[in-house]
Amino acid sequence: MLKKNIYLSLNVIISLIVAAILGIYNSTYGKPRMWQVMLVIFIIGLVVIITTIVSHTFLLANIYQITIMIILIGLFISACILFNGLVKWMSIVVSILGILDSILYLYQFLKKEDK
């Protein structure tokens, strides 16, 4: 359970980094809307983590991880096609780390189900 919560926490951090990267790309970095988006991402991640810890069920966490994985795959494709320079490479690295984090989380979940 601890590993799953660590993977969830890492994915919340990666989601916040993705919001910052998109803010840089859209020239909205540091503006109020960007901070509001980051607050919403943080609150959603916190709710998922607390719900998982309190209820010991992982349905919401699994849905969250799969959704984040889909978003990060989209970010990776967008970075390869649209972005330039440092933002492109930051997006590629962050999306790969997030995808690996989600895969490790889902692997832990499936490994636990098999036993």
Side-chain angles (χ1 to χ4, degrees):
M1 174 134 164
L2 179 63
K3 284 185 180 180
K4 291 180 185 179
N5 289 331
I6 291 171
Y7 291 135
L8 279 171
S9 301
L10 285 174
N11 231 332
V12 171
I13 293 168
I14 288 171
S15 299
L16 292 171
I17 294 170
V18 167
I21 289 171
L22 292 176
I24 292 169
Y25 178 72
N26 292 327
S27 300
T28 58
Y29 185 79
K31 294 186 178 169
R33 291 277 183 205
M34 191 200 102
W35 298 117
Q36 291 169 355
V37 169
M38 291 182 85
L39 179 65
V40 168
I41 290 170
F42 180 74
I43 290 171
I44 289 172
L46 201 59
V47 166
V48 169
I49 292 170
I50 290 171
T51 304
T52 303
I53 290 172
V54 171
S55 68
H56 298 290
T57 59
F58 293 96
L59 179 63
L60 185 62
N62 294 343
I63 292 170
Y64 177 78
Q65 287 286 7
I66 291 169
T67 304
I68 294 297
M69 185 189 293
I70 291 168
I71 291 169
L72 290 170
I73 290 170
L75 176 68
F76 180 80
I77 292 169
S78 298
C80 291
I81 295 172
L82 301 173
F83 299 172
N84 297 342
L86 183 61
V87 174
K88 177 178 186 168
W89 295 111
M90 285 183 357
S91 300
I92 289 173
V93 168
V94 168
S95 60
I96 289 173
L97 288 175
I99 292 168
L100 288 175
D101 181 52
S102 294
I103 289 171
L104 288 173
Y105 171 84
L106 294 171
Y107 175 74
Q108 283 290 96
F109 181 76
L110 292 174
K111 188 171 98 174
K112 185 75 173 173
E113 292 293 318
D114 288 341
K115 289 184 178 181

